[in-house]
Amino acid sequence: MTGAWRKTLLLARMVKIEHSVFALPFAYLGMLWAAGGWPGWRIFLALTVAMVAVRSFAMAVNRLVDLPFDARNPRTGTRPLVTGELGRGETGLFILACALVFTAACALLNPLCLMLAPFALVWSALYSFTKRITLLCHFFLGSVLGLAPLAGWLAVTPLLTLPAVLLGIGVVFWVGGFDILYACQDADFDRREGLHSLPAALGLPTSLALSTFSHVVAGLMFLLAGWAAGAGLVYTGCALAVWVVLLAEHRLISAEDLSRVNLAFFTMNGFVAVFLFAGAVVDTVL
């Protein structure tokens, strides 16, 4: 059991399970707005399992596909697949298990979610290859996480409406913006390896400006989504606070000093999704 528990912890570390906080609250937000309140435990639990499973699937695929690059990048040298603590076969089995769990959870939601499950798996896996072909890889990652509010909405009703779409667009630009920030750390490495990223191609100052612009758009979309959904003042206040936080994080980072990227990327961005969902919950209760 000790060995099995250690492998479980290594798998959780490999996929950074704690970063589910980025997408999961947006799925809950879509679910809450679609249902006009609490949708019941079946939908909530099945959606939670589906979201954690598909995110773990995507992260594991990314780690496996990017293993040759991670092994040469000093920043990623301690990842379990690089160190050999996890093997390729174990990771492959984990990917398969996540895909099966995700599909089963979608089946528990409704027939439309089950029908769309293969698309979601393929789309989430494709991100791992986009850095090899396009500078827009950051926004492709955003489109993967942008499926979260749409998934939450479709878990309740088979019809997408304007609030879900606006929320999804907001997530695309939010994720794209902070992924550009994160990629600034690897600009030199990406150039040497022939990988595509905005920091590698355009330099840090231009990339930081594009990241800021992306977060301006994201903040606007979050506000418009709330307006379209008929959200109350609490959500609106939270959305405005999120917008301020998104712009404030850019004051922590400059082309000359990237030392606080992790603070901006992990701490401040983790706050965004949770705070928006909390505002929507309070509005619903009130």
Side-chain angles (χ1 to χ4, degrees), residues 196-280:
H196 297 274
S197 72
L198 286 173
L202 304 180
L204 299 191
T206 301
S207 298
L208 291 174
L210 289 172
S211 174
T212 302
F213 173 75
S214 296
H215 283 165
V216 169
V217 174
L220 177 61
M221 290 299 108
F222 293 151
L223 280 170
L224 289 176
W227 168 78
L233 291 177
V234 176
Y235 173 85
T236 302
C238 288
L240 287 170
V242 160
W243 207 353
V244 171
V245 168
L246 284 175
L247 297 181
E249 75 179 8
H250 293 275
R251 300 185 64 85
L252 298 174
I253 301 168
S254 68
E256 295 75 31
D257 182 10
L258 298 175
S259 61
R260 289 179 287 188
V261 164
N262 283 337
L263 172 62
F265 182 81
F266 298 118
T267 306
M268 298 182 77
N269 278 293
F271 157 89
V272 168
V274 173
F275 204 55
L276 285 174
F277 175 61

Side-chain angles (χ1 to χ4, degrees), residues 53-78:
V54 73
R55 187 197 166 277
S56 299
F57 167 87
M59 284 291 293
V61 169
N62 180 259
R63 293 293 186 258
L64 192 58
V65 169
D66 278 357
L67 180 56
F69 299 112
D70 289 345
R72 294 194 291 270
N73 188 342
R75 187 180 63 81
T76 56
T78 59

Side-chain angles (χ1 to χ4, degrees), residues 19 22-23 28 32 84 88 97 109 127 145 150-151 165 178 181-182 193 199-200 214 223 252 254 263 276 286:
H19 292 174
F22 288 162
Y28 291 156
L32 189 74
R88 292 171 183 257
L109 288 168
Y127 160 69
L145 271 73
L150 306 184
V165 173
F178 74 65
L181 290 180
Y182 196 64
E193 296 290 332
S214 296
L223 280 170
L252 298 174
S254 68
L263 172 62
L276 285 174
L286 295 179

